Amino acid sequence: MTNPLLDDWTTPFGLPPFDVISDDDFAPAVDAALAESRANIAAIAENPDAPDFANTIEALERADDTLGRVLGVFYNLAGADSNPAREALQRTFAPLLSAYGSEVSENKALFARVEAVWENRDTLDLTDEQQRVLMLTRRGFVRSGANLAGKAAEDLRAVKSRLSVLGTEFTQNLLADEREWFMVLGADDLAGLPDFVVATAKAAGAEKDAGGPIVTLSRSLIVPFLQFSERRDLRQKAYEAWGARGANGGETDNRGIAAETLKLRQDRARLLGYDSFADFKLETEMAGTPKAVRDLLMQVWEPAKAAAEADAAILEKMLHADGFDGQLEPWDWRFYAEKRRKELHDLDEAELKPYLQLDRMIEAAFACANRLFGLEFAPFAGPAYHPDVRMWDVSRDGEHVAVFIGDYFARGSKRSGAWCSAMRSQQRLSGDIRPHVVNVCNFAKPEAGKPALLSYDDARTLFHEFGHALHQMLSDVTYESISGTSVARDFVELPSQLYEHWLDVPEVLSEFATHAETGAPMPEDLLNRMLGAATYDMGFQTVEYVASALVDLGFHDGPAAADPMQRQAEILEEIGMPHAIRMRHATPHFAHVFAGDGYSSGYYSYMWSEVMDADAFAAFEEAGNPFDPETAKLLEDTVLSSGGSVDAAELYKAFRGRLPGVEALLKGRGLDKAA
């Protein structure tokens, strides 16, 4: 009996045949793919021919094709539709894959061939893209420990293996806490909740078979509950459960995992010759050094903190006016901020939300991509991993560009947050390979027969993730290792955050923000009030984000903390964290940092990219048209199509002519006048 993961896929566009793949297929497929990869690596390392770019670097690019295909399917499922079998497989695969990675990086014969190509690079007539791939390949070997030997190499191998296991455990613990907790709402517990929140709570209760409405730890439900619930006691209960994810004691507690992870990262950095993990990690980013990151964050922290403290004083007076003594607490902020927003901007989310239908916002994202880049989106049916999944054939001038997959609704089997991934990346080395790009979100699923309604933040998330998708779909490089979003971490958020700006274009909202029941466009007055409130409560939003970024940096820029929770508290005290605001991601549920190395020492990346995105959209404003075709073409040619084929700073300068300062960011957040 053949394994569908290893067969040729005859599905539309070569999509994975999810209708015939079972969980039992993954382990044997990974075993077979690893065996194939090891054979490929051995063939490269033992090749009797002199090393050259084709037989060494390009051969390495192809070595893991089957393994990448199998894992692309598996990890998409593990994040978006987990189950006990897939969680067990994740725990099994983590050390196996780490061991294979160490085998490759420690293969002395293989590295000698890479080094030989590097030393002879000036005689090989390489293209600029090939020069870049060669540099990145060699750098990857060195940073993985290729120059280490003996005990140092053994120690590094053990560190990386253990880190892979810890990252998997952290993720699964967090998912378990998010999946298990919910709070049943009786009739008296619905005070203040708009109809859309009640409907969402009922839908969540139906999924859990709870017999009535509930609050879960899904952001799309708990945030509006905190905004509108008049029950301060229930807001506190829900908020504290949200903040306690990963810190509830027992088997799913992540605090010990965080401490061990930080210690191992420090060991890894020192084995490789770096003073700290932050020095190691930031070496390859645009920022370059921990000092550059801290300087940026502190430039934003002070005005953001001033704005937040001014807002807190006003919100605390509102709390007292309601008969509550004492300080404004974190579970109060969103409730009173929502009241104040209504007073200042005459803007009520319950009035706004019917105009932000999920389907219409998807149409808006597609329409903007069509006007900017000529892309067209045609829905099609095919094998999908969950009934909620939707698929589109993306084309331009009649030519297939990509498959775009949208998975928008929250469910217990899906980890929290929103993300973009590629089950298959663009490349030309093995033919004209077009990408399969996935956007995963956690929007509240409506009751049967009702349209899905988004908050403005939800709509912004949709545009953000679609910006990442465009970076993948418009990629135009030869080598998969530099395709799409394979760029510096503090550059990868530029396309996503830049695309958010088109949601704020009035003509886009005028066309696509239509009422769920009447179909009428959003009234101009409401649209203007919504856009006028774009920077409302920005002190709060910036403080909770920057605090998380500073804690992340503080964890990795120096000796590992034996007690991360104590170190977190020390950092927050040092920067003067306002009492009524907490970090966006406290350590036990800071998945960006502890579920893997992706954003470790790198959570600042969103802000580094925001410095650029504010300036990049100004290019369209300077052209006098948010859809200016020449500016859009330049953006695609320099940023979106180039992947990692050119240094990130050079790509940005090719688009704008220079690197920006922090002023545009502060102005865009309304913090340029903060005391």
Side-chain angles (χ1 to χ4, degrees), residues 463-640:
F463 268 67
H464 178 101
E465 298 306 333
F466 192 73
H468 282 308
L470 288 172
H471 202 182
Q472 295 275 19
M473 291 189 285
L474 294 174
S475 178
D476 186 20
V477 298
T478 301
Y479 301 98
E480 184 176 355
S481 63
I482 55 169
S483 176
T485 57
S486 298
V487 298
R489 181 65 62 177
D490 49 11
F491 188 71
V492 75
E493 298 298 337
L494 170 61
S496 56
Q497 293 179 183
L498 174 59
Y499 205 66
E500 293 178 32
H501 288 269
W502 275 276
L503 177 62
D504 292 336
V505 173
E507 64 185 277
V508 173
L509 289 167
S510 295
E511 180 176 358
F512 294 99
T514 56
H515 198 279
E517 295 179 3
T518 68
M522 182 182 291
E524 185 176 356
D525 174 61
L526 178 57
L527 188 153
N528 290 336
R529 283 184 278 136
M530 181 179 73
L531 295 178
T535 61
Y536 173 70
D537 209 26
M538 195 55 72
F540 168 85
Q541 295 178 42
T542 308
V543 161
E544 65 165 7
Y545 164 76
V546 174
S548 294
L550 285 167
V551 168
D552 167 41
L553 184 65
F555 277 157
H556 297 100
D557 183 20
D563 183 348
M565 300 306 294
Q566 180 182 339
R567 181 65 184 130
Q568 172 186 299
E570 291 169 353
I571 295 169
L572 296 179
E573 184 176 358
E574 288 166 8
I575 62 177
M577 185 73 170
H579 172 79
I581 307 178
R582 291 184 185 166
M583 293 167 59
R584 182 171 298 174
H585 305 290
T587 297
H589 57 260
F590 206 164
H592 281 80
V593 171
F594 291 105
D597 276 354
Y599 281 87
S600 54
S601 294
Y603 193 60
Y604 76 93
S605 304
Y606 294 93
M607 188 142 284
W608 192 275
S609 293
E610 190 176 341
V611 170
M612 292 181 285
D613 82 62
D615 177 69
F617 191 71
F620 289 88
E621 295 174 325
E622 291 161 12
N625 177 6
F627 297 98
D628 179 65
E630 292 184 6
T631 308
K633 181 70 164 58
L634 183 61
L635 177 66
E636 179 179 351
D637 290 346
T638 56
V639 175
L640 296 176

Side-chain angles (χ1 to χ4, degrees), residues 310-343:
D311 289 339
I314 295 169
L315 300 184
E316 189 166 280
K317 289 180 180 178
M318 297 171 69
L319 172 74
H320 294 164
D322 278 351
F324 296 104
D325 296 328
Q327 292 179 288
L328 184 77
E329 298 292 346
W331 47 87
D332 297 318
W333 190 292
R334 287 176 174 83
F335 179 74
Y336 287 104
E338 181 65 26
K339 279 191 168 186
R340 186 176 175 225
R341 181 172 73 153
K342 190 170 183 180
E343 293 174 1

